[in-house]
Amino acid sequence: MRPDILNPLFAEVTSLKGVGPGLAKPLDKLGLHRVLDVAFHLPSGFVDRIPRDELDMADAGRTIAITLTPVDYKTSSSPRGPTRVHATDAKGNYVSLVYFGGSSGWVRKLLPLSEAKRVSGKLELYGQELQIVHPDLIEAGEGFREREAIYPLSEGLTSRRLSDFAHQAIERAPDLPEWIEPGLKAKHDWPGWREALARAHADPQDGKARERLAYDELFANQLALMLVRGEARAKRGRALQGDGRLRDALKLPYTPTGAQTRTIGEIAGDMAQSRPMLRLLQGDVGSGKTLVATMALLIAVEAGAQGALLAPTEILARQHFDTLGRMLGSLGVRVAALTGRDKGRVREATLMGLASGEIDILIGTHAIFQEGVGYRDLGLVVVDEQHRFGVAERLMLQAKGQVPPHLLVMTATPIPRTLQLATHGEMDVSRLDEMPPGREPIRTTVIAEDRLGDVVEGLGRHLAAGKQSYWVCPLVEESEKTDLAAAEARAAALSARFGDRIGLVHGRMKPAEKDAVMARFASGALGVLVATTVIEVGVDVPNATLIVIEHADRFGLAQLHQLRGRVGRGGGVSHCILLRSERLNETARERLALMRDTTDGFLIAERDLDLRGGGEWLGTRQSGQQGFRLPMPENLKELMTAANDDARLLEHQDRALATPRGTAARIALYLFERDAGVQLLRSG
């Protein structure tokens, strides 16, 4: 139960003075629902206002604060034209205050004639006249702050308003006992938690304050994962040791790589223990994770238990079902599928077979763990593309067996070693760092968008040779609608050139529609699949040997690498064309150069972390994972290692969190909403 001392921070945001229904909506858009959310919504920068008594052309380009008196209005005949307010300073010097868009009525109300107002904004020269476009603050009196924080905003909010709300939130923040180890706090010269919060809002450049807050969140996360790991290790599961009869009978057309053999051995060793396995399997695109998962599932079946394979999408679930059905059918292993599409008698028959033990391996989406889905003896759960599932989901999966089943989670998205601690600190890790022999590296070319015509001509030659291709359209904004519009426009343009050989898939299609298009592409009926990033996971068409990615500079390295992995799945050479914008910043240029020069996903992941920092990796962009809300500093790797070491030490010395520091750490877990770890404490 949350400590009472934190209750003021978890009150609704409407409890803050000045927050009514009107302001609650824009705050909600920013995810600010409670006082705590406002406290953790740190400014992104600040503006320095230079106080002036009179206008001076030498201040052009600077943000000034000055008292002005409106003397005249000038409106445009065009509805979209500007409204200009001519105003004078105390010496009679003129300046235009310029507003674009909407009616001039609200401007007249804001700046009535002959009424002096304190105005702040960037002074600019327009010809030989001075102007301020959209002043950032206007008020009566002399109440401006010369330095003011600038916050991430939504429509209807100002930084001044958010700053006022943040100060109220800080006033409600209690003095909390210290959870950081004293020596570490002294080494970094960090302030106390409440002081750090106040300083971070007062000065966005206060590195020590922000570093302290970031460390707190990392520490709470690491401690929660250590508690989860400790509880899992303390549970008694079921040792599964197969006799090898099914694995030996499996006829493979190739020899497993050394990495596959090593990893299968690690998993078999885990499953032979009475404590439940918690293992993360990282394998680059094409490294052979499916074979490893299949061997793990066969170990469970050999030992008389059932296995379940959980995929994030119906496309990927059906693909796994087809692959394992072909591989295991001759061995007498009974494999079934269950997704949200399965209804009526088909679903009932699957559920009955599962409960009776007639089904050995079940493959599907989240539907395989819904209420009403019962297993006779679930011994192993394999989760594919783990980034869709957070810690809470992983714990839920383990609750499905009569005793906690072994758990193997897999990802084709290499995770930098530093961030493994943040997202999977409770798990052991295996890496498939070796590619199967004979697999050709994908040849990657970066081409400017003004050569789009050449790319389309090359696509025509590719189709004429009997090959297939993907064409990926970018996420122009954080909007599914604009993403879809770009894909539809490209599909229409290519259809005008190549006719009915063009297909389109996107995230807003119904699963049955999407599967139908994918089936036509897999069968060869379609030559080009135009898609949004919905194809990033779970598409396997060996004859597709070309992928074109538009506006490649708008994607992160990890996502580009995943998309590139859609090709190169058959024999021969595959190609990836990255269409770039005309103007590139230095970071985008480095990203595309790295994609061109290497296909090593682990190297790309580490470089992606260096180029973009930990904020996006640790944020909310990956569904399923609980995001980090406080900005991550440049020294993330150092802080993450320190947080992991300290959390591990505290969990080892005081697992019940009963000492004074342990009690403080409990409060931190609740403060940063990692309290699932507290719930697991046997003594808590």
Side-chain angles (χ1 to χ4, degrees), residues 154-337:
S154 62
E155 188 176 355
L157 285 172
T158 64
S159 285
R160 168 64 66 88
R161 280 286 182 93
L162 263 177
S163 179
D164 289 340
F165 297 152
H167 280 82
Q168 289 187 57
I170 294 166
E171 287 176 4
R172 295 191 184 193
D175 287 318
L176 299 176
E178 185 56 75
W179 48 76
I180 296 182
E181 193 277 321
L184 183 65
K185 181 171 180 268
K187 173 187 174 183
H188 289 279
D189 191 26
W190 285 334
W193 174 76
R194 192 175 187 278
E195 181 188 346
L197 194 63
R199 282 168 49 175
H201 280 280
D203 183 359
Q205 291 188 327
D206 189 330
K208 289 296 181 184
R210 288 192 166 226
E211 191 176 275
R212 153 79 206 232
L213 295 174
Y215 179 84
D216 288 340
E217 190 168 20
L218 291 171
F219 171 74
N221 184 75
Q222 292 305 106
L223 181 57
L225 290 175
M226 289 303 106
L227 293 172
V228 169
R229 180 187 179 93
E231 181 64 15
R233 293 290 184 259
K235 283 182 178 178
R236 189 157 187 84
R238 175 185 173 189
L240 296 177
Q241 194 159 5
D243 57 15
R245 69 184 189 281
L246 296 175
R247 286 168 288 164
D248 291 343
L250 185 63
K251 302 299 183 185
L252 297 175
Y254 53 84
T255 301
T257 65
Q260 286 174 315
T261 302
R262 181 189 70 243
T263 299
I264 292 168
E266 291 170 347
I267 292 168
D270 283 355
M271 293 178 68
Q273 306 301 313
S274 59
R275 68 184 187 188
M277 173 176 67
L278 278 174
R279 185 167 288 275
L280 169 67
L281 172 59
Q282 288 198 88
D284 210 343
V285 176
S287 60
K289 294 183 302 301
T290 301
L291 175 63
V292 174
T294 301
M295 291 300 191
L297 289 165
L298 288 179
I299 291 172
V301 176
E302 288 172 357
Q306 294 169 298
L309 195 160
L310 176 61
T313 65
E314 293 204 15
I315 292 175
L316 186 54
R318 297 288 172 185
Q319 181 176 298
H320 279 313
F321 174 66
D322 292 341
T323 301
L324 266 67
R326 289 194 304 269
M327 289 177 66
L328 306 182
S330 61
L331 304 181
V333 177
R334 297 155 298 187
V335 182

Side-chain angles (χ1 to χ4, degrees), residues 148 593 607:
E148 186 157 4
R607 189 67 184 122

Side-chain angles (χ1 to χ4, degrees), residues 383-458:
V383 178
D384 198 9
E385 293 306 332
Q386 57 73 39
H387 64 270
R388 308 295 180 94
F389 306 98
V391 175
E393 286 83 357
R394 299 199 288 266
L395 290 173
M396 177 271 292
L397 297 181
Q398 285 198 298
K400 270 291 180 180
Q402 298 173 8
V403 295
H406 297 284
L407 179 62
L408 174 67
V409 296
M410 307 192 300
T411 178
T413 305
I415 305 170
R417 291 184 184 275
T418 301
L419 302 183
Q420 283 178 21
L421 298 175
T423 54
H424 295 85
E426 86 280 24
M427 311 193 84
D428 296 312
V429 180
S430 293
R431 296 179 72 164
L432 291 176
D433 50 9
E434 183 181 351
M435 299 299 284
R439 190 178 176 95
E440 292 274 358
I442 300 165
R443 296 180 184 175
T444 303
T445 309
V446 181
I447 297 178
E449 288 176 347
D450 60 4
R451 293 181 56 198
L452 177 64
D454 294 338
V455 174
V456 174
E457 289 298 322

Side-chain angles (χ1 to χ4, degrees), residues 96-162:
S96 291
L97 309 179
V98 185
Y99 293 88
F100 289 92
S103 166
S104 65
W106 68 275
V107 177
R108 295 168 186 258
K109 185 177 180 180
L110 182 68
L111 291 161
L113 296 181
S114 304
E115 187 175 318
K117 289 287 185 78
R118 192 73 170 164
V119 175
S120 168
K122 186 176 181 181
L123 190 67
E124 298 175 340
L125 269 175
Y126 183 67
Q128 292 301 307
E129 295 184 359
L130 291 171
Q131 69 175 17
I132 298 176
V133 178
H134 284 279
D136 57 24
L137 281 177
I138 295 176
E139 57 186 47
E142 300 290 324
F144 277 174
R145 301 165 185 160
E146 290 186 15
R147 168 170 283 195
E148 186 157 4
I150 302 299
Y151 288 84
L153 300 172
S154 62
E155 188 176 355
L157 285 172
T158 64
S159 285
R160 168 64 66 88
R161 280 286 182 93
L162 263 177

